[in-house]
Amino acid sequence: MGTSARGRVRVRVLVIDDDAAILGMVRELLDGEGYAVDTRRTPPADPAELAPFAPDLIVADLVYPDGTDGADLLRRFAEHPATARVPVVVCSADRPLLDRLAPDLAA
């Protein structure tokens, strides 16, 4: 967790979404609540890329224009030491994909 100018611990939240408007809105909301926020328009090829920011929470879409598979992305996060213990909040409007992944998301 990061530290604010007042010495308070700031929870680090990484938001991954290909939609710039959504990223901006979520960043503004979380910044306003005191979170340290980093955003990415594409998921990392390797979760180790996230180590410098060391997120405490990841908010991620599951559908990306480059064809990134949402289930694969969640698996990579779960299997990599840098992100295995980091909670992931899924944020997607793709209801069929969410229904398909629901059993895995509950684990």
Side-chain angles (χ1 to χ4, degrees):
M1 291 187 211
T3 306
S4 72
R6 294 183 178 194
R8 284 188 260 168
V9 174
R10 293 183 69 197
V11 174
R12 293 179 305 268
V13 180
L14 172 66
V15 184
I16 309 170
D17 197 300
D18 60 293
D19 186 317
I22 290 174
L23 284 178
M25 177 187 66
V26 173
R27 174 187 282 281
E28 184 176 322
L29 288 169
L30 293 174
D31 277 341
E33 293 297 321
Y35 294 95
V37 182
D38 191 15
T39 59
R40 295 179 62 115
R41 298 221 26 212
T42 58
D46 180 351
E49 294 174 30
L50 305 179
F53 183 66
D56 299 303
L57 174 71
I58 298 171
V59 178
D61 189 4
L62 296 178
V63 180
Y64 298 91
D66 67 357
T68 296
D69 179 87
D72 181 55
L73 176 64
L74 295 176
R75 245 185 310 285
R76 283 185 289 163
F77 285 154
E79 293 172 356
H80 197 281
T83 52
R85 300 183 63 101
V86 178
V88 178
V89 174
V90 173
C91 183
S92 181
D94 188 332
R95 182 60 190 250
L97 176 61
L98 291 172
D99 288 342
R100 182 172 59 87
L101 295 178
D104 294 328
L105 295 174

